[in-house]
Amino acid sequence: MAGEALIHLDGLSKVFYTEEVETHALSNIALRIQTGEFVSIAGPSGCGKTTLLSILGLLDSPTAGKYLLDAEPVENLSASQRAKIRNQAIGFIFQAFNLIGDLTVYENVELPLTYRGMAGSERKERVQAALERVGMAHRMGHYPSQLSGGQQQRVAVARAIVGKPLILLADEPTGNLDSKNGNAVMDLLKELHNDGATICMVTHDPRYAHVADRSVHLFDGQIVSEDDARRAQALEESGFDVAH
Amino acid sequence: MDQLLSDIRHALRHLRRAPLFALVAGTSLAIGVGVNAGLFSAVNALLLRPVPGVDHPERVVEVGRSNQGRGFDTFAYPDYLDLKSEVRAFRTAAAYTFDVFAYSDGGEGSRVTGMSVTPEYFSVMGLTPERGRFFTADEDAPGSRPTVAVVSHDFWMDRLGGGVDVVGKIIRINRIAFQIVGVTPADFRGQTTGVHPEVYVPLRMRPALRNRGEEDFTNRGASWHMMVARLAPGATVQEADTQVKAVYARLAQAYPRTNRNRSGAVVPLGLVPGPGRGPVKAFLSVLMGLAALILLVTCANVAGMFVARASHREKEIAVRLALGAGRARLVRQLLVEALVVFAVGGVVGTAVGVMLVRSLPVNRLPLPIHVSIDLSPQAPVLAFALALTLGTGLLFGLLPAMQATRLELTDSLRDNGSTQGGRAGLMRRFFVGGQVGLSLVLLASAGFFLRALDRAGQVDTGFDPRDGYVTGIDLDLEGYRGEESAALQQRVLERVRALPGVESAAMSADLPLDMSRMGTGVMPEGWTPPEGQRGLGTDFTYVSTDYFATLKIPILHGRAFVETDDVSSEPVIVVSRTFVDQVWPGEDGLGRQVQVEGDHEPWRTVVGVVADVKGRFITDRPEPMMYLPLEQNPHQRMDVVVRAKGGIATVAPALRSAILGVDPSLSLNPVLSLESSSSLGIFPQRLAAGLTTALGSLALLLSALGVYGVVAYALSRRVREMGVRMALGAGSTRLALLVLRNGLGLALPGMLLGLPAIVVLGFVLRAFLLGLSPLDPVALVVVPGTLLITVAAACAAPARRAVRLHPMEALRSE
Ligand SMILES: Nc1ncnc2c1ncn2[C@@H]1O[C@H](COP(=O)(O)OP(=O)(O)O)[C@@H](O)[C@H]1O
Ligand SMILES: [Mg+2]
């Protein structure tokens, strides 16, 4: 069964080299995500969550280790093949929404389909459907700056799902929102999951970690058990530096 | 002061962190200021600078004669005497002419720049002799012949060895011995730019030097010399002008036959002489106007870059304001930053611009005389550049600074997370578009002129300059008279024709396509002049035998001149086809007779008709032309033209030595190929082509920098957007196209406005384009195409940057 995991990481590590300092952002990560799962990745700031997510999303490459996406190795893909996979297999949701300010809501959501070279009429249908799914169809002609944060994130979710990707990657999707709007976005993700979407979500907000089927705890670039994670969290909060 | 220094330090730190911005802004400004400073240095050198070496130059005036209220011409000597004694506003007045003298110290003669002056000339200019003295009144009296000369400091140093015994030395000018009595001071190099007189002789010596009688000094009809004057204490140019006009009014009454239409005008002394000042001023004004436009567009674009940059720093500025920094202080800081960029651009631009203008090859203009214009920069040029830099820097630095600090604080501190393009974008687009439009128009003009030059080779000028070479002998300068002259000219032709490689040789008083012409009025037999016209105006020249063969001017009817067309035979002429067509339409003209206007002119018989030749400019319409045989019409100043194989390097020395073999002391004009001497005929097009090419290239460079600046800046503002697009699956081609589209979008409005302007321009310039269509494909397709390619090239670096962005780093960027 292991071979059928949508995402399969083994021995994966990532080192950043900057001005003669090596940052081991990820060390020896092993992780499987099955189709239809909702996995949350939790951990303190700087532990490597975003790095892990960006490797999953083919925005970055690991320094070492194995990564199979839908049973295909990704390490030797060309830049344009990676772009194509990002476009078709992956949907991104960012903490900072990252809508393009010069484009309307409609155009923002349409963008992944445009990159795919999809015909206009089909695009229109899909965008319409995605916006209805997130309850933003009535704001189609607006510009992002005319929307509240919560509304912007809903549009971003629509943009992530419009291409019917294999997996949604969400990096602290509620991080820039107040709790009311945060809850609304979280509810939306839950609904998507219930409808069958595979989701991998980064959060360091313990309130949302339990929403997922499964939580993976990262600490200092490594996956740790939930208990270890809790202990480490407590230590950190009491002022000890656990990294050394 | 301390604060200013700290502001400057701060500004430098900021600019170091944005080297691309600093480079593009600085280079743009360097070009904008450089063009202006360079042109202004020419304006200053020609129009604004006082004549060097002249004492209180603002008190010296040039006087000119007008005819029916127009012109700024030479005087008749008796008129000059009347003006000199009657105009109260003149303290002293002087008459002078520029001359070319043949100077020989025993060997081959050479041409020197000379002046014939009345003794007052030196006191009008306020000169003190460096050695000896200037002329006395006796030395310029009628009939007296003490042959004395004054030489310039440079002539003394370069030609006479600079010895202390210069005063008293004898030199030979036009074969007459002159005794040097004085030397002009080193800092006086003549009153006219480009003309540095080397030898001065008394005006009364001129008839002897030129083989003429004294009648020029008594005849009110002959206008031939110029006039300068020093104003009396307290008198103004205006008063002098009024008084000159009053004297002329009286002279018109007293001598209606000669003076009926004459008057005069007074203008301040200037390095460009009175008659040329108007055109030079007009020409330089047009150029300065263009330069100002370039600067304006540049400044606006740079200001736009500052606005965009400031909006990039919105948050920093908002934080500073929130922390309680006064707005004035922030404005000052931003302003200092702008001024630093303007200052660096201004200094570099001024240095390069002034240097380039200075190195212009003015002394290599295709002119028969040596011209050297002193274009070295002067204090006013530096002051101008400084004022320009500071003025534009303050104005175009202040506006963005004011705008940047007028923020809604809460707006900027709140990060709503969407990636927004900067504001003030519209203004920048407008200015960059304007730049593109301007360079399109300039380059299209350059294209028109260059294409016209290209066509010049195909225009039928009526003669064939290939394998033609020309030099000149002015026997007036060589002391030859009458029979002697004709004999010398004959022997020169014999020697030259005998040279190996020479097919034929001839002489003419005026060559085609050399910007000059000789004109006269004639009365053709059996022709009734149109109403109000006394005779037919025609160009003419004196030519030797073989002239038409040497220039390959086709003979359409009859014959060319032959040896037997001499003083003992019937007076004959050859005329041009247009001459015949105008006065005897439908006839071949042979056997018809023509009388030149004048008292004792004989009727001359047409023996030949030749094809039309372009006399001055390549754009000339066909005009009547008349050729008179030299043998029947002795003339002293003749061009020698040969048709020979072998190229200028072999022909020139052979030609010189053949002529000098007849008389080794002759002073010859330099030998030129007929192609280069007749290139004067396309000089206006060449000048226009050179100028528009230079300005157009600069404008193109500015456009490229402008586009690059806007696009690179826009990209730097959109790095995160690029990251988002990559995350959504945009490939590198899409990202590159996005950048390119940004650049072309900037250029397009300028192109759309520029294209109709080009078409209009083509029609306006049509007269100068040698038949080139105003809808020339080069102007309408190649130039815009080049511009588009340039714009695309300007986007290449930003496009490459976009493609090479690391998606994750782009997403993490601010
Ligand atoms: N481009 C980079 N260059 C160097 N170090 C980086 C880079 N990106 C991330 N890091 C480092 O890697 C570690 C993990 O970062 P990140 O994945 O962003 O953490 P998280 O998302 O859990 O807060 C941090 O120490 C961070 O400083
Ligand atoms: Mg993170």
Side-chain angles (χ1 to χ4, degrees):
Chain A
M1 279 311 278
E4 285 170 22
L6 179 59
I7 282 178
H8 181 172
L9 303 182
D10 225 350
L12 189 118
S13 57
K14 175 73 181 177
V15 186
F16 289 110
Y17 301 93
T18 40
E19 287 155 16
E20 289 155 32
V21 182
E22 288 184 10
T23 309
H24 291 262
L26 296 172
S27 308
N28 200 22
I29 301 283
L31 177 68
R32 275 155 215 242
I33 298 174
Q34 305 294 334
T35 302
E37 259 195 303
F38 189 158
V39 177
S40 84
I41 298 174
S45 180
C47 71
K49 304 181 298 291
T50 298
T51 304
L52 178 58
L53 210 63
S54 63
I55 289 173
L56 290 181
L58 302 193
L59 290 170
D60 212 343
S61 316
T63 314
K66 191 170 81 172
Y67 174 15
L68 302 180
L69 175 63
D70 203 14
E72 300 285 341
V74 298
E75 57 250 45
N76 293 322
L77 298 177
S78 70
S80 70
Q81 285 168 319
R82 294 167 71 88
K84 194 170 168 192
I85 291 175
R86 285 198 296 267
N87 179 249
Q88 303 195 338
I90 293 163
F92 285 100
I93 300 161
F94 304 96
Q95 176 176 357
F97 325 143
N98 280 340
L99 297 179
I100 293 171
D102 297 336
L103 304 182
T104 60
V105 163
Y106 180 91
E107 289 163 338
N108 265 286
V109 176
E110 188 186 27
L111 212 50
L113 304 183
T114 313
Y115 291 155
R116 208 176 279 193
M118 184 182 281
S121 55
E122 195 184 349
R123 281 204 313 256
K124 199 170 168 196
E125 250 170 61
R126 289 245 219 149
V127 173
Q128 187 82 35
L131 282 170
E132 271 161 17
R133 184 76 188 73
V134 302
M136 287 298 295
H138 61 299
R139 291 278 191 267
M140 217 135 63
H142 285 56
Y143 283 90
S145 56
Q146 297 166 319
L147 304 179
S148 75
Q151 290 175 316
Q152 288 192 47
Q153 193 62 304
R154 300 225 302 270
V155 173
V157 171
R159 185 176 64 182
I161 62 172
V162 73
K164 304 205 167 114
L166 297 179
I167 185 167
L168 288 178
L169 300 177
D171 191 351
E172 311 211 19
T174 59
N176 281 17
L177 299 175
D178 55 43
S179 59
K180 180 167 155 276
N181 277 306
N183 289 339
V185 167
M186 211 37 90
D187 290 343
L188 180 58
L189 288 179
K190 246 187 297 185
E191 280 168 35
L192 289 171
H193 170 57
N194 290 339
D195 290 351
T198 312
I199 300 178
C200 178
M201 176 183 78
V202 161
T203 177
H204 67 221
D205 189 335
R207 281 181 298 148
Y208 295 131
H210 69 270
V211 172
D213 304 336
R214 176 157 72 94
S215 274
V216 174
H217 291 265
L218 265 188
F219 190 79
D220 207 10
Q222 289 177 309
I223 293 181
V224 293
S225 74
E226 202 162 334
D227 293 346
D228 290 349
R230 217 169 276 133
R231 219 170 301 127
Q233 184 85 27
L235 267 174
E236 191 180 13
E237 276 160 13
S238 66
F240 284 91
D241 191 346
V242 290
H244 300 280
Chain B
M1 195 64 215
D2 256 9
Q3 269 205 331
L4 185 67
L5 278 180
S6 106
D7 277 345
I8 291 178
R9 252 197 315 273
H10 187 86
L12 286 175
R13 199 165 61 226
H14 259 290
L15 292 171
R16 243 199 330 270
R17 259 190 263 138
L20 193 74
F21 164 80
L23 188 74
V24 172
T27 309
S28 306
L29 287 170
I31 294 172
V33 174
V35 168
N36 279 273
L39 270 176
F40 183 77
S41 75
V43 170
N44 181 59
L46 295 175
L47 294 177
L48 302 180
R49 184 163 50 142
V51 180
V54 174
D55 183 40
H56 287 96
E58 74 285 354
R59 304 298 298 159
V60 183
V61 293
E62 292 174 47
V63 193
R65 174 182 57 88
S66 60
N67 190 33
Q68 293 184 318
R70 267 176 294 136
F72 197 90
D73 280 331
T74 50
F75 288 88
Y77 192 74
D79 283 1
Y80 155 72
L81 291 181
D82 290 334
L83 288 168
K84 183 173 190 265
S85 63
E86 289 179 37
V87 174
R88 301 277 126 237
F90 293 160
R91 194 176 80 188
T92 32
Y96 68 95
T97 67
F98 287 110
D99 277 305
V100 174
F101 295 147
Y103 161 74
S104 166
D105 54 2
E108 186 191 331
S110 59
R111 301 285 172 85
V112 298
T113 308
M115 279 185 92
S116 305
V117 299
T118 58
E120 299 89 348
Y121 183 77
F122 301 101
S123 56
V124 167
M125 292 297 153
L127 308 182
T128 314
E130 183 171 340
R131 296 258 153 190
R133 61 173 177 82
F134 296 135
F135 302 136
T136 63
D138 296 351
E139 286 161 349
D140 192 46
S144 73
R145 288 283 176 277
T147 51
V148 290
V150 166
V151 296
S152 75
H153 172 88
D154 288 351
F155 188 83
W156 171 38
M157 288 296 151
D158 301 344
R159 302 281 191 124
L160 302 177
V164 289
D165 56 346
V166 58
V167 171
K169 243 189 171 144
I170 304 292
I171 56 172
R172 298 188 77 80
I173 297 294
N174 294 7
R175 303 225 165 162
I176 300 175
F178 281 81
Q179 184 173 43
I180 295 173
V181 295
V183 178
T184 56
D187 60 354
F188 179 74
R189 303 190 70 217
Q191 65 179 78
T192 297
T193 192
V195 184
H196 306 307
E198 299 170 278
V199 176
Y200 300 81
V201 301
L203 193 70
R204 283 275 171 181
M205 282 306 298
R206 200 161 185 270
L209 285 166
R210 293 248 135 204
N211 186 26
R212 282 189 134 93
E214 293 283 329
E215 65 278 0
D216 279 350
F217 288 92
T218 54
N219 180 1
R220 260 186 218 276
S223 294
W224 56 278
H225 69 76
M226 295 178 275
M227 180 172 171
V228 282
R230 182 169 285 272
L231 294 175
T236 65
V237 175
Q238 198 48 55
E239 283 162 22
D241 189 75
T242 312
Q243 292 174 18
V244 164
K245 287 185 164 73
V247 173
Y248 260 117
R250 183 184 72 70
L251 294 176
Q253 300 270 306
Y255 311 101
R257 202 180 67 87
T258 52
N259 286 52
R260 192 166 25 141
N261 293 322
R262 282 184 192 170
S263 187
V266 177
V267 299
L269 180 71
L271 280 162
V272 173
R277 220 172 285 169
V280 168
K281 218 182 256 179
F283 180 66
L284 287 176
S285 304
V286 169
L287 287 185
M288 280 306 283
L290 270 179
L293 205 63
I294 287 180
L295 182 66
L296 184 75
V297 171
T298 308
C299 283
N301 186 42
V302 170
M305 290 173 65
F306 275 104
V307 170
R309 209 177 113 74
S311 71
H312 187 37
R313 284 164 58 185
E314 250 174 39
K315 221 185 257 177
E316 175 204 329
I317 292 166
V319 169
R320 282 168 185 276
L321 285 172
L323 291 178
R327 182 171 174 214
R329 198 183 139 66
L330 275 181
V331 168
R332 202 183 60 212
Q333 204 170 299
L334 291 171
L335 184 59
V336 166
E337 207 175 306
L339 281 178
V340 167
V341 174
F342 272 82
V344 172
V347 167
V348 172
T350 304
V352 173
V354 167
M355 231 153 59
L356 281 181
V357 167
R358 213 178 156 184
S359 65
L360 280 183
V362 267
N363 54 353
R364 286 201 279 117
L365 292 178
L367 296 173
I369 49 158
H370 177 78
V371 195
S372 71
I373 297 177
D374 180 12
L375 290 172
S376 45
Q378 303 269 322
V381 176
L382 301 182
F384 173 79
L386 186 72
L388 206 60
T389 304
L390 280 183
T392 51
L394 278 174
L395 183 64
F396 289 93
L398 197 59
L399 293 179
M402 297 295 283
Q403 197 186 333
T405 51
R406 197 175 31 213
L407 297 169
E408 288 302 321
L409 278 183
T410 48
D411 238 22
S412 299
L413 286 175
R414 203 188 75 200
D415 183 1
N416 66 10
S418 65
T419 59
Q420 277 182 334
R423 57 179 167 177
L426 200 65
M427 279 282 270
R428 291 194 78 191
R429 300 176 77 86
F430 175 77
F431 283 122
V432 173
Q435 248 171 4
V436 170
L438 182 68
S439 52
L440 182 63
V441 171
L442 282 171
L443 284 176
S445 332
F448 278 135
F449 286 119
L450 288 172
R451 292 263 292 162
L453 284 181
D454 206 34
R455 287 172 80 90
Q458 299 151 32
V459 170
D460 183 12
T461 56
F463 70 103
D464 181 3
R466 281 170 300 172
D467 290 331
Y469 300 90
V470 59
T471 180
I473 310 172
D474 187 349
L475 293 178
D476 271 345
L477 304 184
E478 313 292 348
Y480 280 81
R481 309 291 176 247
E483 289 291 302
E484 225 189 346
S485 298
L488 178 109
Q489 288 167 341
Q490 204 47 50
R491 256 178 297 137
V492 164
L493 277 179
E494 278 161 20
R495 290 288 281 268
V496 170
R497 282 168 180 160
L499 280 173
V502 168
E503 269 174 45
S504 64
M507 289 190 185
S508 171
D510 185 47
L511 288 173
L513 283 191
D514 62 350
M515 242 159 47
S516 73
R517 61 182 277 261
M518 302 196 293
T520 183
V522 295
M523 195 53 224
E525 166 203 353
W527 179 72
T528 336
E531 195 73 25
Q533 208 175 310
R534 270 190 303 159
L536 175 76
T538 178
D539 290 353
F540 76 99
T541 180
Y542 307 107
V543 299
S544 71
T545 55
D546 276 1
Y547 177 72
F548 302 114
T550 305
L551 285 188
K552 293 206 173 156
I553 298 172
I555 293 169
L556 305 175
H557 303 291
R559 61 171 176 87
F561 295 125
V562 291
E563 304 278 325
T564 49
D565 293 323
D566 60 17
V567 274
S568 63
S569 62
E570 172 200 31
V572 292
I573 53 172
V574 167
V575 294
S576 68
R577 180 211 293 263
T578 297
F579 190 111
V580 175
D581 289 349
Q582 284 198 6
V583 298
W584 305 299
E587 293 181 31
D588 64 12
L590 295 182
R592 289 288 208 165
Q593 293 201 313
V594 173
Q595 189 182 37
V596 177
E597 276 173 6
D599 291 340
H600 310 290
E601 292 292 340
W603 285 93
R604 298 165 208 261
T605 308
V606 176
V607 295
V609 179
V610 294
D612 287 315
V613 166
K614 298 204 183 275
R616 290 182 301 156
F617 294 109
I618 195 138
T619 45
D620 284 355
R621 313 253 115 237
E623 301 272 1
M625 176 76 188
M626 177 174 72
Y627 301 88
L628 300 111
L630 179 61
E631 294 237 19
Q632 291 179 348
N633 307 270
H635 195 69
Q636 295 275 84
R637 205 203 60 75
M638 297 296 282
D639 288 321
V640 181
V641 49
V642 305
R643 173 167 295 279
K645 294 274 177 229
I648 186 114
T650 46
V651 174
L655 187 59
R656 286 180 62 83
S657 67
I659 297 174
L660 292 172
V662 180
D663 177 348
S665 68
L666 290 178
S667 60
L668 299 180
N669 285 348
V671 180
L672 298 175
S673 75
L674 200 51
E675 277 168 313
S676 69
S677 94
S678 59
S679 71
L680 276 179
I682 49 170
F683 184 65
Q685 282 83 356
R686 292 204 338 199
L687 186 65
L691 278 172
T692 49
T693 305
L695 287 177
S697 310
L698 282 180
L700 183 68
L701 185 59
L702 279 175
S703 303
L705 287 175
V707 168
Y708 172 78
V710 172
V711 170
Y713 186 76
L715 175 63
S716 75
R717 294 273 293 165
R718 294 169 71 185
V719 165
R720 181 135 63 114
E721 179 191 325
M722 293 294 157
V724 173
R725 286 175 183 270
M726 285 187 208
L728 298 181
S732 44
T733 321
R734 275 191 191 277
L735 298 181
L737 283 178
L738 206 62
V739 174
L740 189 65
R741 207 178 62 190
N742 187 214
L744 292 180
L746 288 170
L748 223 55
M751 305 269 300
L752 290 181
L753 287 179
L755 275 172
I758 297 179
V759 176
V760 173
L761 191 76
F763 280 97
V764 171
L765 293 176
R766 189 147 57 159
F768 299 97
L769 299 182
L770 309 177
L772 189 75
S773 160
L775 299 174
D776 184 55
V778 167
L780 287 176
V781 178
V782 177
V783 169
T786 310
L787 203 63
L788 278 182
I789 291 171
T790 308
V791 168
C795 298
R800 212 176 63 155
R801 170 154 187 244
V803 168
R804 293 193 169 182
L805 283 174
H806 187 280
M808 206 47 222
E809 279 164 24
L811 274 169
R812 281 186 199 264
S813 85
E814 245 309 293

